[in-house]
Amino acid sequence: MSDAERTLAYLIGANCLVFGAWQVPRWTPFMSRWFLHHPGSGQSITLITSCFSHKEGLHLACNMIGLWSFGGLMHDYLGREQFLALYMTTGIGANMVSHTLSLALRNQRPLLPSLGASGAIYGLLSGTAYLQPNASIALVFLPMVPIKLGYALPAMMGFDVAGILLKWKMFDHFAHLAGACIGLGYLAYGHQHIWTPLIQKIYHQRRARQSSD
């Protein structure tokens, strides 16, 4: 297995383990407390744990297919450390945006718990679209018609905007949009203005510490 495939396999394995735990009825109270994020619960740790949490097999399958499909290119482009940083940042960032907006709009729409890796997957999808806009994918509702990523991503983001405006409850549309925007923003500016300065700072701090020793 390549480095990218090994990294993706570990992430998929972690998601599958959490999914398996959801299938044990007596563990449901524990899973609901620690792997389901509810904006009104006051628990921050679930912003992270819910990124690996899926209760339904179809939800898990769709996200893991997306992770395997888009993760390889992003991993090869960024490297393992930066890829994992992006994956977690988009997942947690998407949850934070969803959390904040859900609380802000709680008088206009129901306050629902959330879970799943969709925010992170949307970040990988948007990053792939940024790098290779002419690559083609097949959307779930049009499986026989390949669509270029440069067109598919705006269409999917438009679907989520419609979901917010029409108050659809099936998906966490805030998280989807936030994940896509974070992914695009990072690919456009993050490597140069966030990752590289961070690595340089760590390198210089280590050098300074070694010199002082």
Side-chain angles (χ1 to χ4, degrees):
M1 296 177 72
S2 67
D3 286 344
E5 290 172 340
R6 192 175 296 109
T7 301
L8 297 178
Y10 284 136
L11 287 174
I12 291 172
N15 280 272
C16 289
L17 284 174
V18 176
F19 171 74
W22 273 111
Q23 309 314 306
V24 181
R26 64 179 179 178
W27 291 358
T28 299
F30 174 84
M31 299 300 294
S32 297
R33 179 177 181 181
W34 296 107
F35 287 88
L36 187 69
H37 180 69
H38 196 294
S41 69
Q43 294 215 115
S44 299
I45 188 64
T46 52
L47 287 168
I48 301 172
T49 57
S50 63
C51 294
F52 297 91
S53 184
H54 302 79
K55 295 175 68 174
E56 305 295 334
L58 181 60
H59 189 197
L60 173 71
C62 289
N63 278 344
M64 295 306 97
I65 290 172
L67 174 57
W68 189 264
S69 299
F70 305 117
L73 173 66
M74 298 298 296
H75 188 288
D76 291 341
Y77 180 77
L78 296 172
R80 175 177 290 170
E81 292 80 7
Q82 191 174 184
F83 168 80
L84 290 173
L86 174 64
Y87 182 83
M88 293 305 303
T89 298
T90 51
I92 297 170
N95 276 347
M96 291 181 66
V97 171
S98 176
H99 173 108
T100 302
L101 293 179
S102 294
L103 286 175
L105 300 174
R106 62 185 179 275
N107 294 327
Q108 304 175 27
R109 54 188 299 120
L111 198 60
L112 300 174
S114 62
L115 76 169
S118 300
I121 303 307
Y122 261 71
L124 298 180
L125 168 63
S126 65
T128 303
Y130 180 86
L131 294 176
Q132 293 191 356
N134 291 322
S136 296
I137 63 168
L139 300 180
V140 173
F141 46 84
L142 287 174
M144 304 304 294
V145 182
I147 302 175
K148 291 183 177 180
L149 277 173
Y151 299 119
L153 179 63
M156 296 172 72
M157 294 177 71
F159 174 81
D160 285 307
V161 170
I164 292 171
L165 296 177
L166 298 175
K167 301 181 181 180
W168 295 340
K169 302 177 183 179
M170 185 175 296
F171 304 108
D172 189 346
H173 299 287
F174 287 129
H176 290 181
L177 284 174
C181 291
I182 294 170
L184 286 172
Y186 188 84
L187 264 293
Y189 304 105
H191 179 77
Q192 179 180 358
H193 298 291
I194 299 176
W195 186 260
T196 299
L198 176 63
I199 296 302
Q200 290 175 344
K201 181 178 180 180
I202 294 173
Y203 173 78
H204 290 308
Q205 286 178 342
R206 286 182 175 177
R207 289 290 299 273
R209 190 176 299 114
Q210 291 172 354
S211 299
S212 62
D213 293 339

